[in-house]
Amino acid sequence: MMEQVSKGQARRMALAAGLRSSGRGKQAVLNTIEHLGYVQIDTISVIERAHHHVLWSRQPGYRPEFLDELLAKDRSVFEHWAHAVAYLPMRDYRYYLASFEAFRKPPTAKWQKERMARAKPLLKPVLKRIEEEGPLSSRDFEDGRSKKGNWWDWKPAKVALEVLFLQGRIMVSERRGFQRVYDLSERVLPEGIDLSEPDEGERAEYQIRRALTAMGLAREAEIAKCLELCRRPAIRAGLERLVATGEVVELAVKGVEGETYHALAETLHSSAGPKTPGKVRILSPFDNLTIQRERMRLLFDFDYTIECYVPEKKRRYGYFACPVLWKNRLAARIDMKADRKSGTLLVKGLHHEASLADRSGFDQALEPALADFARFNGCSSIG
């Protein structure tokens, strides 16, 4: 029998799971990545990059060097494609073996074929250089034709590096600044790592458990988008198996008509979810909690589009307006830029949601949150 929860309870479940904090220091960063399943990497740096922002949102004492050490020294996280390029728990590496294999198959889309045609002659030479010389970055393959942009703009050696990376033949050994440094996978993987490849059914159940642990509750489509480790029919079949065993429970959310949600039984029975305190959290547009826009709209009544990809004249809220959480609602969006030369966090726009009744209470709670966010961005003032 399908259980029913209120939208308020559903929100509390989502927030309790999605924003769970686990102490301080480097170990807490690893715990967060393992709990969420992935943390998306993004290049936009108008404020602190998304991967650091996501981790800081859950751990106020977070420092970027924690993540750097987990990747380069501890080898407890690695980079690969989830629904986007992300930091992933190294202990989950074997669940991505099928993904590497998929990238090794002949491409089918036109742009993929064009990319591979450019990269293929260089795959062996690039791999040989790394094998003989050790870790290398794209800068070590400069050919004088470098352009910033998409696949078709990249110099061939950089495309080759990216193809080898997606195929799992090389891995990111470290980052210098934001520059990837690659090495052979066998030299990056920690000794004794489990390399047994799960079948699609195992990957589906892993993805379901991982998604529901991090999300609290989710629809089938949201689970399928979380890590993209297997096909949608495998997710559906996995959910049917886990519901039959009682590990997963089907839910109806009052106010979200016609949609079936799923939650781990232990999550549902252990948490109606504590009431969210009045602290304001400024979230990244790429935060695990906010990245699925339809989920935000259904559960939080928050219709959100990131506008950095929208022509300037058509933007409503700003280039990089961040969702702002207060209590158990997404109450506003705020567009900011860290002017690092002057040490000033520039607030370019603050837009309250129409449904926000207590604007003065929100604004009062926002003030210390902005001060914290400014410090996180290396800024000493707000302008």
Side-chain angles (χ1 to χ4, degrees), residues 148-177:
K148 293 183 178 179
N150 293 319
W151 283 113
W152 50 87
D153 294 325
W154 285 7
K155 58 187 178 182
K158 188 169 184 179
V159 179
L161 285 167
E162 187 71 11
V163 169
L164 291 166
F165 165 72
L166 291 173
Q167 291 179 345
R169 301 182 191 279
I170 61 175
M171 296 177 70
V172 178
S173 174
E174 63 174 310
R175 280 187 181 256
R176 295 172 187 160

PDB file of all heavy atoms in Angstrom, residues 148-177:
ATOM      1  N   LYS A 148      39.972  28.322 -26.650  1.00  0.00           N
ATOM      2  CA  LYS A 148      39.028  27.983 -25.602  1.00  0.00           C
ATOM      3  C   LYS A 148      37.659  27.777 -26.223  1.00  0.00           C
ATOM      4  O   LYS A 148      37.223  28.573 -27.044  1.00  0.00           O
ATOM      5  CB  LYS A 148      38.970  29.079 -24.540  1.00  0.00           C
ATOM      6  CG  LYS A 148      40.259  29.200 -23.743  1.00  0.00           C
ATOM      7  CD  LYS A 148      40.123  30.252 -22.662  1.00  0.00           C
ATOM      8  CE  LYS A 148      41.399  30.338 -21.838  1.00  0.00           C
ATOM      9  NZ  LYS A 148      41.297  31.381 -20.800  1.00  0.00           N
ATOM     10  N   GLY A 149      36.963  26.722 -25.817  1.00  0.00           N
ATOM     11  CA  GLY A 149      35.637  26.505 -26.375  1.00  0.00           C
ATOM     12  C   GLY A 149      35.204  25.072 -26.243  1.00  0.00           C
ATOM     13  O   GLY A 149      35.670  24.331 -25.385  1.00  0.00           O
ATOM     14  N   ASN A 150      34.321  24.648 -27.127  1.00  0.00           N
ATOM     15  CA  ASN A 150      33.758  23.313 -27.083  1.00  0.00           C
ATOM     16  C   ASN A 150      34.638  22.321 -27.822  1.00  0.00           C
ATOM     17  O   ASN A 150      35.725  22.652 -28.297  1.00  0.00           O
ATOM     18  CB  ASN A 150      32.347  23.348 -27.665  1.00  0.00           C
ATOM     19  CG  ASN A 150      31.408  24.151 -26.772  1.00  0.00           C
ATOM     20  OD1 ASN A 150      31.460  24.047 -25.555  1.00  0.00           O
ATOM     21  ND2 ASN A 150      30.567  24.971 -27.387  1.00  0.00           N
ATOM     22  N   TRP A 151      34.093  21.093 -27.985  1.00  0.00           N
ATOM     23  CA  TRP A 151      34.887  20.013 -28.585  1.00  0.00           C
ATOM     24  C   TRP A 151      35.560  20.450 -29.885  1.00  0.00           C
ATOM     25  O   TRP A 151      36.721  20.191 -30.122  1.00  0.00           O
ATOM     26  CB  TRP A 151      33.970  18.830 -28.888  1.00  0.00           C
ATOM     27  CG  TRP A 151      33.593  18.023 -27.701  1.00  0.00           C
ATOM     28  CD1 TRP A 151      32.363  17.906 -27.145  1.00  0.00           C
ATOM     29  CD2 TRP A 151      34.447  17.199 -26.909  1.00  0.00           C
ATOM     30  NE1 TRP A 151      32.391  17.079 -26.062  1.00  0.00           N
ATOM     31  CE2 TRP A 151      33.647  16.624 -25.897  1.00  0.00           C
ATOM     32  CE3 TRP A 151      35.803  16.877 -26.957  1.00  0.00           C
ATOM     33  CZ2 TRP A 151      34.162  15.751 -24.950  1.00  0.00           C
ATOM     34  CZ3 TRP A 151      36.315  16.004 -26.008  1.00  0.00           C
ATOM     35  CH2 TRP A 151      35.496  15.463 -25.024  1.00  0.00           C
ATOM     36  N   TRP A 152      34.801  21.098 -30.767  1.00  0.00           N
ATOM     37  CA  TRP A 152      35.325  21.400 -32.095  1.00  0.00           C
ATOM     38  C   TRP A 152      36.386  22.501 -32.087  1.00  0.00           C
ATOM     39  O   TRP A 152      37.049  22.733 -33.067  1.00  0.00           O
ATOM     40  CB  TRP A 152      34.180  21.775 -33.020  1.00  0.00           C
ATOM     41  CG  TRP A 152      33.268  22.818 -32.457  1.00  0.00           C
ATOM     42  CD1 TRP A 152      33.391  24.156 -32.542  1.00  0.00           C
ATOM     43  CD2 TRP A 152      32.084  22.577 -31.694  1.00  0.00           C
ATOM     44  NE1 TRP A 152      32.371  24.777 -31.890  1.00  0.00           N
ATOM     45  CE2 TRP A 152      31.539  23.831 -31.353  1.00  0.00           C
ATOM     46  CE3 TRP A 152      31.426  21.426 -31.269  1.00  0.00           C
ATOM     47  CZ2 TRP A 152      30.369  23.969 -30.619  1.00  0.00           C
ATOM     48  CZ3 TRP A 152      30.261  21.554 -30.537  1.00  0.00           C
ATOM     49  CH2 TRP A 152      29.746  22.815 -30.210  1.00  0.00           C
ATOM     50  N   ASP A 153      36.545  23.188 -30.962  1.00  0.00           N
ATOM     51  CA  ASP A 153      37.565  24.223 -30.851  1.00  0.00           C
ATOM     52  C   ASP A 153      38.863  23.698 -30.240  1.00  0.00           C
ATOM     53  O   ASP A 153      39.900  24.327 -30.356  1.00  0.00           O
ATOM     54  CB  ASP A 153      37.076  25.381 -29.976  1.00  0.00           C
ATOM     55  CG  ASP A 153      35.908  26.129 -30.601  1.00  0.00           C
ATOM     56  OD1 ASP A 153      35.868  26.264 -31.822  1.00  0.00           O
ATOM     57  OD2 ASP A 153      35.053  26.558 -29.833  1.00  0.00           O
ATOM     58  N   TRP A 154      38.762  22.569 -29.554  1.00  0.00           N
ATOM     59  CA  TRP A 154      39.910  22.103 -28.795  1.00  0.00           C
ATOM     60  C   TRP A 154      41.007  21.598 -29.723  1.00  0.00           C
ATOM     61  O   TRP A 154      40.747  20.988 -30.756  1.00  0.00           O
ATOM     62  CB  TRP A 154      39.502  20.975 -27.855  1.00  0.00           C
ATOM     63  CG  TRP A 154      38.741  21.430 -26.660  1.00  0.00           C
ATOM     64  CD1 TRP A 154      38.271  22.680 -26.415  1.00  0.00           C
ATOM     65  CD2 TRP A 154      38.347  20.618 -25.562  1.00  0.00           C
ATOM     66  NE1 TRP A 154      37.613  22.704 -25.216  1.00  0.00           N
ATOM     67  CE2 TRP A 154      37.643  21.447 -24.672  1.00  0.00           C
ATOM     68  CE3 TRP A 154      38.524  19.275 -25.242  1.00  0.00           C
ATOM     69  CZ2 TRP A 154      37.110  20.988 -23.477  1.00  0.00           C
ATOM     70  CZ3 TRP A 154      37.991  18.807 -24.061  1.00  0.00           C
ATOM     71  CH2 TRP A 154      37.309  19.653 -23.183  1.00  0.00           C
ATOM     72  N   LYS A 155      42.234  21.814 -29.301  1.00  0.00           N
ATOM     73  CA  LYS A 155      43.345  21.240 -30.047  1.00  0.00           C
ATOM     74  C   LYS A 155      43.241  19.718 -29.974  1.00  0.00           C
ATOM     75  O   LYS A 155      42.749  19.152 -28.995  1.00  0.00           O
ATOM     76  CB  LYS A 155      44.665  21.725 -29.465  1.00  0.00           C
ATOM     77  CG  LYS A 155      44.859  21.403 -28.005  1.00  0.00           C
ATOM     78  CD  LYS A 155      46.115  22.069 -27.479  1.00  0.00           C
ATOM     79  CE  LYS A 155      46.258  21.765 -25.986  1.00  0.00           C
ATOM     80  NZ  LYS A 155      47.429  22.417 -25.417  1.00  0.00           N
ATOM     81  N   PRO A 156      43.712  19.015 -31.014  1.00  0.00           N
ATOM     82  CA  PRO A 156      43.520  17.555 -31.073  1.00  0.00           C
ATOM     83  C   PRO A 156      44.061  16.799 -29.870  1.00  0.00           C
ATOM     84  O   PRO A 156      43.443  15.844 -29.414  1.00  0.00           O
ATOM     85  CB  PRO A 156      44.265  17.172 -32.362  1.00  0.00           C
ATOM     86  CG  PRO A 156      44.163  18.390 -33.211  1.00  0.00           C
ATOM     87  CD  PRO A 156      44.264  19.552 -32.261  1.00  0.00           C
ATOM     88  N   ALA A 157      45.203  17.202 -29.339  1.00  0.00           N
ATOM     89  CA  ALA A 157      45.763  16.480 -28.193  1.00  0.00           C
ATOM     90  C   ALA A 157      44.869  16.596 -26.969  1.00  0.00           C
ATOM     91  O   ALA A 157      44.733  15.644 -26.187  1.00  0.00           O
ATOM     92  CB  ALA A 157      47.161  16.988 -27.876  1.00  0.00           C
ATOM     93  N   LYS A 158      44.246  17.756 -26.783  1.00  0.00           N
ATOM     94  CA  LYS A 158      43.343  17.918 -25.646  1.00  0.00           C
ATOM     95  C   LYS A 158      42.109  17.042 -25.815  1.00  0.00           C
ATOM     96  O   LYS A 158      41.616  16.451 -24.848  1.00  0.00           O
ATOM     97  CB  LYS A 158      42.941  19.390 -25.491  1.00  0.00           C
ATOM     98  CG  LYS A 158      42.159  19.663 -24.224  1.00  0.00           C
ATOM     99  CD  LYS A 158      42.003  21.149 -23.972  1.00  0.00           C
ATOM    100  CE  LYS A 158      41.303  21.389 -22.635  1.00  0.00           C
ATOM    101  NZ  LYS A 158      41.154  22.819 -22.321  1.00  0.00           N
ATOM    102  N   VAL A 159      41.600  16.953 -27.041  1.00  0.00           N
ATOM    103  CA  VAL A 159      40.477  16.056 -27.311  1.00  0.00           C
ATOM    104  C   VAL A 159      40.885  14.615 -27.024  1.00  0.00           C
ATOM    105  O   VAL A 159      40.128  13.849 -26.432  1.00  0.00           O
ATOM    106  CB  VAL A 159      39.987  16.206 -28.768  1.00  0.00           C
ATOM    107  CG1 VAL A 159      38.829  15.252 -29.038  1.00  0.00           C
ATOM    108  CG2 VAL A 159      39.558  17.632 -29.034  1.00  0.00           C
ATOM    109  N   ALA A 160      42.085  14.243 -27.427  1.00  0.00           N
ATOM    110  CA  ALA A 160      42.575  12.887 -27.177  1.00  0.00           C
ATOM    111  C   ALA A 160      42.645  12.593 -25.685  1.00  0.00           C
ATOM    112  O   ALA A 160      42.264  11.507 -25.229  1.00  0.00           O
ATOM    113  CB  ALA A 160      43.942  12.684 -27.830  1.00  0.00           C
ATOM    114  N   LEU A 161      43.135  13.554 -24.913  1.00  0.00           N
ATOM    115  CA  LEU A 161      43.184  13.377 -23.460  1.00  0.00           C
ATOM    116  C   LEU A 161      41.788  13.153 -22.893  1.00  0.00           C
ATOM    117  O   LEU A 161      41.582  12.289 -22.039  1.00  0.00           O
ATOM    118  CB  LEU A 161      43.827  14.600 -22.800  1.00  0.00           C
ATOM    119  CG  LEU A 161      45.337  14.741 -22.923  1.00  0.00           C
ATOM    120  CD1 LEU A 161      45.777  16.139 -22.502  1.00  0.00           C
ATOM    121  CD2 LEU A 161      46.054  13.680 -22.086  1.00  0.00           C
ATOM    122  N   GLU A 162      40.823  13.931 -23.372  1.00  0.00           N
ATOM    123  CA  GLU A 162      39.459  13.805 -22.863  1.00  0.00           C
ATOM    124  C   GLU A 162      38.861  12.448 -23.241  1.00  0.00           C
ATOM    125  O   GLU A 162      38.168  11.820 -22.436  1.00  0.00           O
ATOM    126  CB  GLU A 162      38.591  14.942 -23.407  1.00  0.00           C
ATOM    127  CG  GLU A 162      37.195  15.000 -22.819  1.00  0.00           C
ATOM    128  CD  GLU A 162      37.166  15.451 -21.368  1.00  0.00           C
ATOM    129  OE1 GLU A 162      38.206  15.914 -20.858  1.00  0.00           O
ATOM    130  OE2 GLU A 162      36.103  15.340 -20.743  1.00  0.00           O
ATOM    131  N   VAL A 163      39.119  11.991 -24.452  1.00  0.00           N
ATOM    132  CA  VAL A 163      38.623  10.676 -24.871  1.00  0.00           C
ATOM    133  C   VAL A 163      39.240   9.578 -24.008  1.00  0.00           C
ATOM    134  O   VAL A 163      38.543   8.679 -23.508  1.00  0.00           O
ATOM    135  CB  VAL A 163      38.921  10.437 -26.364  1.00  0.00           C
ATOM    136  CG1 VAL A 163      38.660   8.975 -26.746  1.00  0.00           C
ATOM    137  CG2 VAL A 163      38.056  11.359 -27.231  1.00  0.00           C
ATOM    138  N   LEU A 164      40.533   9.625 -23.814  1.00  0.00           N
ATOM    139  CA  LEU A 164      41.204   8.617 -22.984  1.00  0.00           C
ATOM    140  C   LEU A 164      40.688   8.648 -21.543  1.00  0.00           C
ATOM    141  O   LEU A 164      40.562   7.607 -20.891  1.00  0.00           O
ATOM    142  CB  LEU A 164      42.714   8.852 -23.005  1.00  0.00           C
ATOM    143  CG  LEU A 164      43.415   8.567 -24.339  1.00  0.00           C
ATOM    144  CD1 LEU A 164      44.826   9.152 -24.335  1.00  0.00           C
ATOM    145  CD2 LEU A 164      43.459   7.063 -24.616  1.00  0.00           C
ATOM    146  N   PHE A 165      40.390   9.844 -21.059  1.00  0.00           N
ATOM    147  CA  PHE A 165      39.830  10.006 -19.719  1.00  0.00           C
ATOM    148  C   PHE A 165      38.456   9.354 -19.622  1.00  0.00           C
ATOM    149  O   PHE A 165      38.172   8.587 -18.690  1.00  0.00           O
ATOM    150  CB  PHE A 165      39.763  11.499 -19.389  1.00  0.00           C
ATOM    151  CG  PHE A 165      38.899  11.845 -18.206  1.00  0.00           C
ATOM    152  CD1 PHE A 165      39.314  11.547 -16.919  1.00  0.00           C
ATOM    153  CD2 PHE A 165      37.671  12.470 -18.377  1.00  0.00           C
ATOM    154  CE1 PHE A 165      38.518  11.871 -15.819  1.00  0.00           C
ATOM    155  CE2 PHE A 165      36.880  12.799 -17.297  1.00  0.00           C
ATOM    156  CZ  PHE A 165      37.299  12.496 -16.017  1.00  0.00           C
ATOM    157  N   LEU A 166      37.584   9.628 -20.583  1.00  0.00           N
ATOM    158  CA  LEU A 166      36.240   9.054 -20.558  1.00  0.00           C
ATOM    159  C   LEU A 166      36.272   7.542 -20.729  1.00  0.00           C
ATOM    160  O   LEU A 166      35.412   6.835 -20.208  1.00  0.00           O
ATOM    161  CB  LEU A 166      35.381   9.700 -21.645  1.00  0.00           C
ATOM    162  CG  LEU A 166      35.016  11.172 -21.423  1.00  0.00           C
ATOM    163  CD1 LEU A 166      34.321  11.746 -22.650  1.00  0.00           C
ATOM    164  CD2 LEU A 166      34.132  11.342 -20.197  1.00  0.00           C
ATOM    165  N   GLN A 167      37.272   7.060 -21.436  1.00  0.00           N
ATOM    166  CA  GLN A 167      37.416   5.615 -21.629  1.00  0.00           C
ATOM    167  C   GLN A 167      38.016   4.913 -20.419  1.00  0.00           C
ATOM    168  O   GLN A 167      38.084   3.682 -20.381  1.00  0.00           O
ATOM    169  CB  GLN A 167      38.290   5.337 -22.850  1.00  0.00           C
ATOM    170  CG  GLN A 167      37.638   5.723 -24.174  1.00  0.00           C
ATOM    171  CD  GLN A 167      38.549   5.466 -25.354  1.00  0.00           C
ATOM    172  OE1 GLN A 167      39.769   5.254 -25.207  1.00  0.00           O
ATOM    173  NE2 GLN A 167      37.979   5.459 -26.552  1.00  0.00           N
ATOM    174  N   GLY A 168      38.456   5.677 -19.434  1.00  0.00           N
ATOM    175  CA  GLY A 168      39.029   5.079 -18.234  1.00  0.00           C
ATOM    176  C   GLY A 168      40.464   4.636 -18.383  1.00  0.00           C
ATOM    177  O   GLY A 168      41.009   3.980 -17.497  1.00  0.00           O
ATOM    178  N   ARG A 169      41.116   5.005 -19.488  1.00  0.00           N
ATOM    179  CA  ARG A 169      42.515   4.602 -19.694  1.00  0.00           C
ATOM    180  C   ARG A 169      43.473   5.504 -18.918  1.00  0.00           C
ATOM    181  O   ARG A 169      44.556   5.074 -18.519  1.00  0.00           O
ATOM    182  CB  ARG A 169      42.857   4.624 -21.188  1.00  0.00           C
ATOM    183  CG  ARG A 169      41.965   3.702 -22.005  1.00  0.00           C
ATOM    184  CD  ARG A 169      42.358   3.702 -23.467  1.00  0.00           C
ATOM    185  NE  ARG A 169      41.376   3.028 -24.309  1.00  0.00           N
ATOM    186  CZ  ARG A 169      41.282   1.708 -24.468  1.00  0.00           C
ATOM    187  NH1 ARG A 169      42.140   0.916 -23.845  1.00  0.00           N
ATOM    188  NH2 ARG A 169      40.352   1.190 -25.235  1.00  0.00           N
ATOM    189  N   ILE A 170      43.084   6.741 -18.730  1.00  0.00           N
ATOM    190  CA  ILE A 170      43.829   7.659 -17.876  1.00  0.00           C
ATOM    191  C   ILE A 170      42.853   8.257 -16.867  1.00  0.00           C
ATOM    192  O   ILE A 170      41.642   8.241 -17.072  1.00  0.00           O
ATOM    193  CB  ILE A 170      44.533   8.777 -18.687  1.00  0.00           C
ATOM    194  CG1 ILE A 170      43.508   9.620 -19.458  1.00  0.00           C
ATOM    195  CG2 ILE A 170      45.582   8.186 -19.614  1.00  0.00           C
ATOM    196  CD1 ILE A 170      44.119  10.820 -20.198  1.00  0.00           C
ATOM    197  N   MET A 171      43.409   8.776 -15.783  1.00  0.00           N
ATOM    198  CA  MET A 171      42.608   9.398 -14.746  1.00  0.00           C
ATOM    199  C   MET A 171      43.229  10.730 -14.358  1.00  0.00           C
ATOM    200  O   MET A 171      44.407  10.974 -14.631  1.00  0.00           O
ATOM    201  CB  MET A 171      42.512   8.493 -13.508  1.00  0.00           C
ATOM    202  CG  MET A 171      41.793   7.183 -13.754  1.00  0.00           C
ATOM    203  SD  MET A 171      41.778   6.100 -12.284  1.00  0.00           S
ATOM    204  CE  MET A 171      40.644   7.004 -11.217  1.00  0.00           C
ATOM    205  N   VAL A 172      42.448  11.558 -13.708  1.00  0.00           N
ATOM    206  CA  VAL A 172      42.982  12.805 -13.170  1.00  0.00           C
ATOM    207  C   VAL A 172      43.774  12.457 -11.916  1.00  0.00           C
ATOM    208  O   VAL A 172      43.218  11.967 -10.930  1.00  0.00           O
ATOM    209  CB  VAL A 172      41.859  13.802 -12.853  1.00  0.00           C
ATOM    210  CG1 VAL A 172      42.448  15.078 -12.246  1.00  0.00           C
ATOM    211  CG2 VAL A 172      41.066  14.139 -14.115  1.00  0.00           C
ATOM    212  N   SER A 173      45.050  12.703 -11.991  1.00  0.00           N
ATOM    213  CA  SER A 173      45.942  12.397 -10.871  1.00  0.00           C
ATOM    214  C   SER A 173      45.914  13.509  -9.824  1.00  0.00           C
ATOM    215  O   SER A 173      46.021  13.260  -8.631  1.00  0.00           O
ATOM    216  CB  SER A 173      47.363  12.201 -11.396  1.00  0.00           C
ATOM    217  OG  SER A 173      48.280  12.037 -10.346  1.00  0.00           O
ATOM    218  N   GLU A 174      45.784  14.750 -10.314  1.00  0.00           N
ATOM    219  CA  GLU A 174      45.703  15.917  -9.444  1.00  0.00           C
ATOM    220  C   GLU A 174      45.223  17.087 -10.278  1.00  0.00           C
ATOM    221  O   GLU A 174      45.104  16.993 -11.510  1.00  0.00           O
ATOM    222  CB  GLU A 174      47.067  16.243  -8.828  1.00  0.00           C
ATOM    223  CG  GLU A 174      48.119  16.620  -9.854  1.00  0.00           C
ATOM    224  CD  GLU A 174      49.415  17.065  -9.223  1.00  0.00           C
ATOM    225  OE1 GLU A 174      49.370  17.931  -8.322  1.00  0.00           O
ATOM    226  OE2 GLU A 174      50.493  16.555  -9.641  1.00  0.00           O
ATOM    227  N   ARG A 175      44.923  18.191  -9.603  1.00  0.00           N
ATOM    228  CA  ARG A 175      44.647  19.444 -10.305  1.00  0.00           C
ATOM    229  C   ARG A 175      45.643  20.492  -9.811  1.00  0.00           C
ATOM    230  O   ARG A 175      45.877  20.589  -8.613  1.00  0.00           O
ATOM    231  CB  ARG A 175      43.218  19.909 -10.066  1.00  0.00           C
ATOM    232  CG  ARG A 175      42.190  19.180 -10.945  1.00  0.00           C
ATOM    233  CD  ARG A 175      40.819  19.776 -10.809  1.00  0.00           C
ATOM    234  NE  ARG A 175      39.826  19.088 -11.610  1.00  0.00           N
ATOM    235  CZ  ARG A 175      39.314  19.542 -12.751  1.00  0.00           C
ATOM    236  NH1 ARG A 175      39.730  20.710 -13.231  1.00  0.00           N
ATOM    237  NH2 ARG A 175      38.397  18.866 -13.416  1.00  0.00           N
ATOM    238  N   ARG A 176      46.185  21.231 -10.765  1.00  0.00           N
ATOM    239  CA  ARG A 176      47.057  22.353 -10.422  1.00  0.00           C
ATOM    240  C   ARG A 176      46.294  23.620 -10.761  1.00  0.00           C
ATOM    241  O   ARG A 176      46.137  23.942 -11.937  1.00  0.00           O
ATOM    242  CB  ARG A 176      48.368  22.258 -11.205  1.00  0.00           C
ATOM    243  CG  ARG A 176      49.195  21.032 -10.829  1.00  0.00           C
ATOM    244  CD  ARG A 176      50.400  20.843 -11.732  1.00  0.00           C
ATOM    245  NE  ARG A 176      51.064  19.572 -11.455  1.00  0.00           N
ATOM    246  CZ  ARG A 176      51.886  18.967 -12.311  1.00  0.00           C
ATOM    247  NH1 ARG A 176      52.142  19.530 -13.489  1.00  0.00           N
ATOM    248  NH2 ARG A 176      52.440  17.809 -11.998  1.00  0.00           N
ATOM    249  N   GLY A 177      45.829  24.297  -9.735  1.00  0.00           N
ATOM    250  CA  GLY A 177      44.846  25.332  -9.958  1.00  0.00           C
ATOM    251  C   GLY A 177      43.565  24.630 -10.372  1.00  0.00           C
ATOM    252  O   GLY A 177      43.042  23.789  -9.644  1.00  0.00           O
TER     253      GLY A 177
END
